[in-house]
Amino acid sequence: MLSLGPIIFGLILGLLIGSQIKLNVSDAKFTLASFIVILIAGIIMAWQSGNYPFYTDLPISTAFLSALIGIFVGKLLFSRSK
């Protein structure tokens, strides 16, 4: 059975963090390749972290993965320009 609590809280936290990312800063340039690398590294981290011992639904950390997705969605929807 899929536990929705960690997924919902991870998504909300990711949306909050993603909305605060500034993209047009002169010293940090985020390209599409950098976002793909961050996504791949996040998926590997979620897989290596694993779920809590009493959650047996998926072999990856659903809370970490949903927070990562929330960061990208929050950045796309609510990101600040400067």
Side-chain angles (χ1 to χ4, degrees):
M1 182 174 167
L2 189 63
S3 178
L4 294 179
I7 295 172
I8 292 171
F9 287 125
L11 190 63
I12 291 171
L13 183 65
L15 284 172
L16 289 174
I17 293 171
S19 67
Q20 298 301 313
I21 294 176
K22 295 180 184 179
L23 292 177
N24 295 333
V25 179
S26 63
D27 60 344
K29 297 292 182 190
F30 284 105
T31 62
L32 180 62
S34 64
F35 285 119
I36 291 173
V37 168
I38 291 170
L39 182 66
I40 291 171
I43 291 172
I44 291 172
M45 286 287 296
W47 175 59
Q48 290 295 319
S49 174
N51 251 340
Y52 293 119
F54 47 88
Y55 296 147
T56 58
D57 49 0
L58 295 172
I60 63 171
S61 174
T62 54
F64 188 84
L65 193 61
S66 66
L68 183 68
I69 291 170
I71 287 173
F72 284 117
V73 170
K75 181 199 66 67
L76 290 175
L77 294 179
F78 310 115
S79 68
R80 301 175 352 178
S81 61
K82 277 193 177 185

Coordinates of all heavy atoms in Angstrom, one line a residue:
M1 N 0.8 -1.2 0.0 CA 0.0 0.0 0.0 C 0.9 1.2 0.0 O 1.9 1.3 0.7 CB -0.9 0.0 1.2 CG -1.8 1.1 1.3 SD -3.0 0.9 2.7 CE -3.6 2.5 2.7
L2 N 0.5 2.2 -0.8 CA 1.3 3.4 -1.0 C 0.9 4.4 0.1 O -0.3 4.7 0.3 CB 1.0 4.0 -2.3 CG 1.9 5.2 -2.7 CD1 3.3 4.8 -2.9 CD2 1.4 5.8 -4.0
S3 N 1.9 4.9 0.9 CA 1.6 5.8 2.0 C 1.7 7.3 1.4 O 2.7 7.7 0.8 CB 2.7 5.7 3.0 OG 2.5 6.6 4.0
L4 N 0.6 8.0 1.5 CA 0.5 9.3 0.9 C 1.1 10.5 1.8 O 1.4 11.5 1.2 CB -0.9 9.6 0.6 CG -1.5 8.8 -0.5 CD1 -3.0 9.2 -0.7 CD2 -0.8 8.9 -1.8
G5 N 1.3 10.3 3.0 CA 1.8 11.3 3.9 C 3.1 11.8 3.5 O 3.3 13.1 3.3
P6 N 4.2 11.0 3.4 CA 5.5 11.5 3.0 C 5.5 12.1 1.6 O 6.2 13.1 1.3 CB 6.4 10.3 3.0 CG 5.7 9.3 3.9 CD 4.2 9.6 3.7
I7 N 4.7 11.6 0.7 CA 4.6 12.1 -0.7 C 4.0 13.6 -0.6 O 4.5 14.5 -1.3 CB 3.8 11.2 -1.6 CG1 4.5 9.9 -1.7 CG2 3.5 11.8 -2.9 CD1 3.7 8.8 -2.4
I8 N 2.9 13.8 0.1 CA 2.3 15.1 0.1 C 3.2 16.1 0.8 O 3.4 17.2 0.3 CB 0.9 15.0 0.8 CG1 0.0 14.2 0.0 CG2 0.4 16.3 1.1 CD1 -1.3 13.8 0.7
F9 N 3.8 15.7 2.0 CA 4.6 16.7 2.7 C 5.9 17.0 1.9 O 6.4 18.1 1.8 CB 5.0 16.2 4.0 CG 3.8 16.3 5.0 CD1 3.4 15.1 5.7 CD2 3.2 17.5 5.2 CE1 2.3 15.2 6.6 CE2 2.1 17.6 6.1 CZ 1.7 16.4 6.8
G10 N 6.5 16.0 1.2 CA 7.6 16.2 0.3 C 7.3 17.1 -0.8 O 8.1 18.0 -1.2
L11 N 6.1 16.9 -1.4 CA 5.7 17.8 -2.5 C 5.5 19.2 -2.1 O 5.9 20.2 -2.8 CB 4.5 17.2 -3.2 CG 4.0 17.8 -4.5 CD1 5.1 17.6 -5.6 CD2 2.7 17.3 -4.9
I12 N 4.9 19.4 -1.0 CA 4.7 20.8 -0.4 C 6.0 21.5 -0.1 O 6.2 22.6 -0.5 CB 3.7 20.8 0.8 CG1 2.3 20.4 0.4 CG2 3.7 22.1 1.5 CD1 1.4 20.1 1.5
L13 N 6.9 20.7 0.5 CA 8.2 21.3 0.9 C 9.0 21.6 -0.4 O 9.6 22.6 -0.5 CB 9.0 20.3 1.8 CG 10.3 20.8 2.2 CD1 10.2 22.0 3.1 CD2 11.1 19.7 2.9
G14 N 8.9 20.7 -1.4 CA 9.6 21.0 -2.7 C 9.0 22.2 -3.4 O 9.8 22.9 -4.0
L15 N 7.7 22.4 -3.3 CA 7.1 23.5 -4.0 C 7.6 24.8 -3.3 O 7.8 25.8 -4.0 CB 5.6 23.4 -3.9 CG 4.9 22.5 -4.9 CD1 3.4 22.4 -4.6 CD2 5.1 22.9 -6.3
L16 N 7.7 24.8 -2.0 CA 8.1 26.0 -1.3 C 9.6 26.3 -1.6 O 10.0 27.5 -1.8 CB 8.0 25.8 0.2 CG 6.5 25.8 0.8 CD1 6.5 25.5 2.2 CD2 5.9 27.2 0.5
I17 N 10.4 25.3 -1.6 CA 11.8 25.5 -2.0 C 12.0 25.9 -3.4 O 12.8 26.8 -3.7 CB 12.7 24.3 -1.6 CG1 12.7 24.0 -0.1 CG2 14.1 24.4 -2.2 CD1 13.3 22.7 0.3
G18 N 11.3 25.3 -4.3 CA 11.4 25.6 -5.7 C 10.9 27.0 -6.1 O 11.4 27.6 -7.0
S19 N 10.0 27.5 -5.3 CA 9.5 28.8 -5.6 C 10.5 29.9 -5.2 O 10.4 31.0 -5.7 CB 8.2 29.1 -4.9 OG 8.4 29.2 -3.5
Q20 N 11.5 29.6 -4.4 CA 12.5 30.6 -4.0 C 13.8 30.5 -4.8 O 14.7 31.3 -4.6 CB 12.8 30.3 -2.5 CG 11.7 30.5 -1.6 CD 11.1 31.9 -1.7 OE1 11.8 32.9 -1.7 NE2 9.7 32.0 -1.8
I21 N 13.9 29.7 -5.8 CA 15.1 29.6 -6.7 C 15.1 30.8 -7.6 O 14.1 31.1 -8.3 CB 15.1 28.3 -7.5 CG1 15.2 27.1 -6.5 CG2 16.2 28.3 -8.5 CD1 15.2 25.7 -7.2
K22 N 16.2 31.4 -7.7 CA 16.4 32.6 -8.6 C 17.2 32.0 -9.8 O 18.3 31.4 -9.7 CB 17.2 33.7 -7.9 CG 16.5 34.3 -6.8 CD 17.3 35.4 -6.2 CE 16.7 36.0 -5.0 NZ 17.5 37.1 -4.4
L23 N 16.7 32.3 -11.0 CA 17.3 31.7 -12.2 C 18.2 32.7 -12.9 O 19.1 32.4 -13.6 CB 16.2 31.2 -13.2 CG 15.5 30.0 -12.7 CD1 14.4 29.6 -13.7 CD2 16.4 28.9 -12.5
N24 N 17.9 34.0 -12.8 CA 18.6 35.0 -13.6 C 19.7 35.7 -12.8 O 19.9 36.9 -12.8 CB 17.7 36.0 -14.2 CG 16.7 35.4 -15.2 OD1 17.1 34.5 -15.8 ND2 15.6 36.0 -15.3
V25 N 20.4 34.9 -12.0 CA 21.5 35.5 -11.2 C 22.8 35.4 -12.1 O 23.0 34.4 -12.8 CB 21.7 34.7 -9.9 CG1 22.9 35.2 -9.1 CG2 20.4 34.7 -9.1
S26 N 23.6 36.4 -12.0 CA 24.7 36.5 -12.9 C 25.8 35.5 -12.7 O 26.5 35.1 -13.6 CB 25.4 37.9 -12.9 OG 25.9 38.1 -11.6
D27 N 26.0 35.0 -11.4 CA 27.1 34.1 -11.2 C 26.7 32.6 -11.3 O 27.6 31.8 -11.3 CB 27.7 34.3 -9.8 CG 26.7 34.2 -8.7 OD1 25.5 34.2 -9.0 OD2 27.1 34.1 -7.5
A28 N 25.4 32.3 -11.4 CA 25.0 30.9 -11.5 C 24.1 30.8 -12.7 O 23.0 31.3 -12.7 CB 24.3 30.5 -10.2
K29 N 24.5 30.0 -13.7 CA 23.7 29.8 -14.9 C 23.2 28.3 -14.9 O 24.0 27.4 -14.9 CB 24.5 30.0 -16.1 CG 25.0 31.4 -16.3 CD 23.8 32.4 -16.5 CE 24.3 33.8 -16.7 NZ 23.3 34.8 -16.7
F30 N 21.9 28.2 -14.8 CA 21.2 26.9 -14.8 C 20.8 26.6 -16.3 O 19.9 27.3 -16.8 CB 20.1 26.8 -13.9 CG 20.5 26.6 -12.4 CD1 20.4 27.7 -11.6 CD2 21.0 25.4 -12.0 CE1 20.7 27.6 -10.3 CE2 21.3 25.3 -10.6 CZ 21.2 26.4 -9.8
T31 N 21.3 25.6 -16.9 CA 20.9 25.2 -18.2 C 20.1 23.9 -18.1 O 19.9 23.4 -17.0 CB 22.1 25.0 -19.1 OG1 22.9 23.9 -18.5 CG2 23.0 26.2 -19.2
L32 N 19.5 23.5 -19.2 CA 18.7 22.3 -19.3 C 19.6 21.1 -18.9 O 19.1 20.2 -18.1 CB 18.2 22.1 -20.7 CG 17.3 20.8 -20.9 CD1 16.1 20.9 -19.9 CD2 16.9 20.7 -22.3
A33 N 20.8 21.1 -19.3 CA 21.7 20.0 -18.9 C 22.0 19.9 -17.4 O 22.0 18.8 -16.8 CB 23.0 20.1 -19.6
S34 N 22.1 21.0 -16.8 CA 22.3 21.0 -15.3 C 21.1 20.5 -14.6 O 21.2 19.8 -13.6 CB 22.7 22.4 -14.8 OG 21.6 23.3 -15.0
F35 N 19.9 20.9 -15.1 CA 18.7 20.3 -14.4 C 18.5 18.8 -14.6 O 18.0 18.1 -13.7 CB 17.4 21.1 -14.9 CG 17.3 22.5 -14.4 CD1 17.3 23.6 -15.2 CD2 17.2 22.7 -13.0 CE1 17.2 24.8 -14.7 CE2 17.0 24.0 -12.5 CZ 17.0 25.0 -13.4
I36 N 18.9 18.3 -15.8 CA 18.9 16.9 -16.0 C 19.8 16.2 -15.1 O 19.5 15.1 -14.5 CB 19.1 16.6 -17.5 CG1 18.0 17.1 -18.4 CG2 19.4 15.1 -17.7 CD1 18.2 17.0 -19.8
V37 N 21.0 16.7 -14.9 CA 22.0 16.1 -14.0 C 21.5 16.1 -12.6 O 21.6 15.1 -11.9 CB 23.4 16.9 -14.1 CG1 24.3 16.4 -13.0 CG2 24.0 16.6 -15.5
I38 N 20.9 17.2 -12.2 CA 20.3 17.3 -10.8 C 19.2 16.3 -10.6 O 19.1 15.6 -9.6 CB 19.8 18.7 -10.5 CG1 21.0 19.7 -10.4 CG2 19.0 18.7 -9.2 CD1 20.6 21.1 -10.3
L39 N 18.3 16.1 -11.6 CA 17.3 15.1 -11.6 C 17.8 13.7 -11.5 O 17.3 12.9 -10.7 CB 16.4 15.3 -12.8 CG 15.1 14.4 -12.8 CD1 14.2 14.7 -11.7 CD2 14.4 14.5 -14.2
I40 N 18.8 13.4 -12.3 CA 19.4 12.0 -12.3 C 20.1 11.8 -10.9 O 19.9 10.7 -10.3 CB 20.3 11.8 -13.5 CG1 19.6 11.8 -14.8 CG2 21.2 10.6 -13.3 CD1 20.4 11.8 -16.0
A41 N 20.8 12.7 -10.4 CA 21.5 12.6 -9.1 C 20.4 12.4 -8.0 O 20.6 11.6 -7.1 CB 22.4 13.8 -8.9
G42 N 19.3 13.2 -8.1 CA 18.3 13.0 -7.1 C 17.6 11.7 -7.1 O 17.3 11.1 -6.1
I43 N 17.4 11.1 -8.3 CA 16.8 9.8 -8.4 C 17.7 8.7 -7.9 O 17.3 7.8 -7.1 CB 16.4 9.5 -9.9 CG1 15.2 10.4 -10.3 CG2 16.0 8.0 -10.1 CD1 14.9 10.3 -11.8
I44 N 19.0 8.9 -8.1 CA 20.0 7.9 -7.6 C 20.0 8.1 -6.0 O 20.1 7.1 -5.3 CB 21.4 8.2 -8.2 CG1 21.4 7.8 -9.7 CG2 22.5 7.4 -7.4 CD1 22.6 8.1 -10.4
M45 N 20.0 9.3 -5.5 CA 19.9 9.5 -4.1 C 18.7 8.9 -3.4 O 18.7 8.2 -2.4 CB 20.0 11.0 -3.7 CG 21.3 11.6 -3.9 SD 22.5 11.1 -2.7 CE 21.7 11.8 -1.2
A46 N 17.5 9.0 -4.1 CA 16.3 8.4 -3.6 C 16.3 6.9 -3.6 O 15.8 6.3 -2.7 CB 15.1 8.9 -4.4
W47 N 17.0 6.4 -4.6 CA 17.1 4.9 -4.7 C 18.1 4.4 -3.7 O 17.8 3.4 -3.0 CB 17.6 4.5 -6.1 CG 17.8 3.1 -6.3 CD1 17.0 2.1 -6.1 CD2 19.1 2.5 -6.7 NE1 17.6 0.9 -6.3 CE2 18.9 1.1 -6.7 CE3 20.3 3.0 -7.0 CZ2 19.9 0.2 -7.0 CZ3 21.3 2.1 -7.3 CH2 21.1 0.8 -7.3
Q48 N 19.2 5.1 -3.4 CA 20.1 4.6 -2.4 C 19.6 4.8 -1.0 O 19.9 4.1 -0.1 CB 21.5 5.3 -2.6 CG 22.2 4.9 -3.9 CD 22.7 3.5 -3.8 OE1 23.1 3.0 -2.7 NE2 22.5 2.8 -4.9
S49 N 18.8 5.9 -0.8 CA 18.3 6.2 0.5 C 17.3 5.1 0.9 O 17.2 4.7 2.1 CB 17.7 7.6 0.5 OG 17.0 7.8 1.7
G50 N 16.5 4.7 0.0 CA 15.4 3.7 0.3 C 14.3 4.3 1.1 O 14.4 5.4 1.6
N51 N 13.2 3.5 1.2 CA 12.1 4.0 2.0 C 12.4 3.7 3.5 O 13.3 3.0 3.9 CB 10.9 3.2 1.6 CG 9.9 4.1 0.9 OD1 10.0 5.3 1.0 ND2 9.0 3.5 0.1
Y52 N 11.5 4.2 4.3 CA 11.5 3.9 5.8 C 11.4 2.4 5.9 O 10.7 1.8 5.1 CB 10.4 4.7 6.5 CG 10.7 6.1 6.6 CD1 9.7 7.0 6.0 CD2 11.8 6.7 7.2 CE1 9.9 8.4 6.0 CE2 12.0 8.0 7.2 CZ 11.1 8.9 6.7 OH 11.3 10.2 6.7
P53 N 11.9 1.8 7.0 CA 11.8 0.4 7.1 C 10.3 -0.2 7.1 O 10.1 -1.3 6.7 CB 12.4 0.1 8.5 CG 13.3 1.3 8.7 CD 12.7 2.4 8.0
F54 N 9.4 0.6 7.6 CA 8.0 0.1 7.7 C 7.2 0.4 6.5 O 6.0 0.0 6.4 CB 7.3 0.5 9.0 CG 7.5 2.0 9.2 CD1 6.6 2.9 8.7 CD2 8.5 2.5 10.0 CE1 6.7 4.3 8.9 CE2 8.6 3.8 10.3 CZ 7.7 4.7 9.7
Y55 N 7.7 1.1 5.5 CA 7.0 1.3 4.2 C 7.6 0.3 3.2 O 8.8 0.4 2.9 CB 7.3 2.8 3.7 CG 6.7 3.9 4.5 CD1 7.3 5.1 4.6 CD2 5.5 3.7 5.3 CE1 6.7 6.1 5.4 CE2 5.0 4.7 6.0 CZ 5.6 5.9 6.1 OH 5.1 6.9 6.8
T56 N 6.8 -0.5 2.7 CA 7.3 -1.5 1.8 C 6.6 -1.4 0.4 O 6.5 -2.4 -0.3 CB 6.9 -2.9 2.3 OG1 5.5 -3.0 2.5 CG2 7.6 -3.2 3.6
D57 N 6.3 -0.2 0.0 CA 5.6 0.0 -1.3 C 6.5 0.0 -2.5 O 6.4 -0.6 -3.4 CB 4.7 1.2 -1.2 CG 5.4 2.4 -0.7 OD1 6.6 2.3 -0.4 OD2 4.7 3.5 -0.6
L58 N 7.6 0.8 -2.4 CA 8.5 1.0 -3.5 C 10.0 0.9 -2.9 O 10.2 1.2 -1.8 CB 8.3 2.4 -4.1 CG 7.0 2.6 -4.9 CD1 6.9 4.1 -5.3 CD2 6.9 1.7 -6.0
P59 N 10.9 0.5 -3.8 CA 12.3 0.4 -3.3 C 13.0 1.8 -3.2 O 14.2 1.8 -2.8 CB 13.0 -0.5 -4.3 CG 12.2 -0.3 -5.5 CD 10.8 0.0 -5.1
I60 N 12.4 2.9 -3.6 CA 13.0 4.2 -3.6 C 12.3 5.0 -2.5 O 11.2 4.7 -2.1 CB 13.0 4.9 -4.9 CG1 11.5 5.2 -5.3 CG2 13.7 4.1 -6.0 CD1 11.4 6.1 -6.5
S61 N 12.9 6.1 -2.1 CA 12.4 7.0 -1.1 C 11.3 7.9 -1.8 O 11.7 8.8 -2.6 CB 13.5 7.9 -0.5 OG 12.9 8.8 0.4
T62 N 10.1 7.6 -1.5 CA 9.0 8.4 -2.2 C 9.0 9.8 -1.7 O 8.6 10.7 -2.5 CB 7.6 7.7 -2.0 OG1 7.4 7.5 -0.6 CG2 7.6 6.4 -2.7
A63 N 9.3 10.1 -0.4 CA 9.3 11.4 0.1 C 10.4 12.3 -0.6 O 10.2 13.4 -1.0 CB 9.5 11.4 1.6
F64 N 11.6 11.7 -0.7 CA 12.7 12.4 -1.4 C 12.4 12.7 -2.8 O 12.6 13.8 -3.4 CB 14.0 11.6 -1.2 CG 15.2 12.4 -1.7 CD1 15.9 13.3 -0.8 CD2 15.7 12.2 -2.9 CE1 17.0 14.0 -1.2 CE2 16.9 12.9 -3.4 CZ 17.5 13.8 -2.5
L65 N 11.8 11.7 -3.5 CA 11.5 11.8 -4.9 C 10.4 12.9 -5.2 O 10.5 13.7 -6.1 CB 11.1 10.5 -5.5 CG 11.1 10.4 -7.0 CD1 12.4 10.7 -7.6 CD2 10.6 9.0 -7.5
S66 N 9.4 12.9 -4.3 CA 8.3 13.8 -4.5 C 8.8 15.3 -4.1 O 8.4 16.2 -4.7 CB 7.1 13.5 -3.6 OG 7.4 13.6 -2.3
A67 N 9.7 15.4 -3.2 CA 10.3 16.7 -2.9 C 11.1 17.2 -4.1 O 11.1 18.4 -4.4 CB 11.2 16.6 -1.7
L68 N 11.9 16.3 -4.7 CA 12.6 16.7 -5.9 C 11.7 17.1 -7.1 O 11.9 18.1 -7.7 CB 13.5 15.5 -6.4 CG 14.4 15.7 -7.5 CD1 15.5 16.7 -7.2 CD2 15.0 14.4 -8.0
I69 N 10.6 16.4 -7.2 CA 9.6 16.8 -8.3 C 9.0 18.1 -7.9 O 8.8 19.0 -8.7 CB 8.6 15.7 -8.4 CG1 9.2 14.5 -9.1 CG2 7.4 16.2 -9.3 CD1 8.4 13.2 -9.1
G70 N 8.7 18.3 -6.6 CA 8.1 19.6 -6.2 C 9.1 20.8 -6.4 O 8.6 21.9 -6.7
I71 N 10.4 20.6 -6.2 CA 11.3 21.6 -6.5 C 11.3 22.1 -7.9 O 11.2 23.3 -8.2 CB 12.7 21.2 -6.1 CG1 12.9 21.2 -4.6 CG2 13.8 22.1 -6.7 CD1 14.1 20.6 -4.1
F72 N 11.2 21.1 -8.8 CA 11.2 21.4 -10.3 C 9.9 22.1 -10.7 O 9.8 23.1 -11.4 CB 11.5 20.2 -11.1 CG 12.9 19.8 -11.2 CD1 13.3 18.6 -10.7 CD2 13.9 20.7 -11.7 CE1 14.6 18.2 -10.7 CE2 15.2 20.3 -11.7 CZ 15.6 19.1 -11.2
V73 N 8.8 21.6 -10.1 CA 7.4 22.2 -10.4 C 7.3 23.6 -9.8 O 6.9 24.5 -10.5 CB 6.3 21.3 -9.9 CG1 5.0 21.9 -10.0 CG2 6.3 20.0 -10.7
G74 N 7.8 23.7 -8.6 CA 7.8 25.1 -8.0 C 8.7 26.1 -8.7 O 8.3 27.2 -8.8
K75 N 9.8 25.6 -9.2 CA 10.7 26.5 -10.0 C 10.0 26.9 -11.3 O 10.1 28.1 -11.7 CB 12.0 25.8 -10.3 CG 13.0 26.7 -11.0 CD 14.1 25.8 -11.7 CE 13.6 25.0 -12.8 NZ 13.0 25.6 -14.0
L76 N 9.3 26.0 -11.9 CA 8.7 26.3 -13.2 C 7.5 27.2 -13.0 O 7.2 28.1 -13.8 CB 8.3 25.0 -13.9 CG 9.4 24.2 -14.5 CD1 8.9 22.9 -15.0 CD2 10.2 25.0 -15.5
L77 N 6.7 27.0 -11.9 CA 5.5 27.7 -11.8 C 5.7 29.1 -11.0 O 5.1 30.1 -11.4 CB 4.5 26.9 -11.0 CG 3.9 25.7 -11.7 CD1 3.0 24.9 -10.8 CD2 3.3 26.0 -13.0
F78 N 6.5 29.1 -10.0 CA 6.6 30.2 -9.1 C 7.9 30.9 -9.0 O 8.2 31.6 -8.1 CB 6.1 29.8 -7.7 CG 4.8 29.1 -7.6 CD1 4.8 27.8 -7.2 CD2 3.6 29.7 -8.0 CE1 3.6 27.1 -7.1 CE2 2.5 29.0 -8.0 CZ 2.4 27.7 -7.5
S79 N 8.9 30.6 -9.9 CA 10.2 31.0 -9.7 C 10.3 32.5 -9.8 O 9.6 33.2 -10.5 CB 11.2 30.4 -10.7 OG 10.9 30.9 -12.0
R80 N 11.3 33.1 -9.0 CA 11.6 34.5 -9.0 C 12.6 34.8 -10.0 O 13.5 34.1 -10.3 CB 12.0 34.9 -7.6 CG 11.1 34.6 -6.5 CD 11.5 34.8 -5.1 NE 12.9 35.2 -4.9 CZ 13.4 35.5 -3.8 NH1 12.6 35.4 -2.7 NH2 14.6 35.8 -3.6
S81 N 12.5 36.0 -10.6 CA 13.4 36.3 -11.7 C 14.7 36.9 -11.1 O 15.8 36.6 -11.6 CB 12.8 37.3 -12.7 OG 12.5 38.5 -12.0
K82 N 14.7 37.8 -10.1 CA 15.9 38.3 -9.5 C 15.7 38.6 -8.1 O 14.7 38.9 -7.6 CB 16.4 39.5 -10.3 CG 17.2 39.2 -11.5 CD 17.9 40.5 -12.0 CE 18.7 40.1 -13.2 NZ 19.5 41.2 -13.6

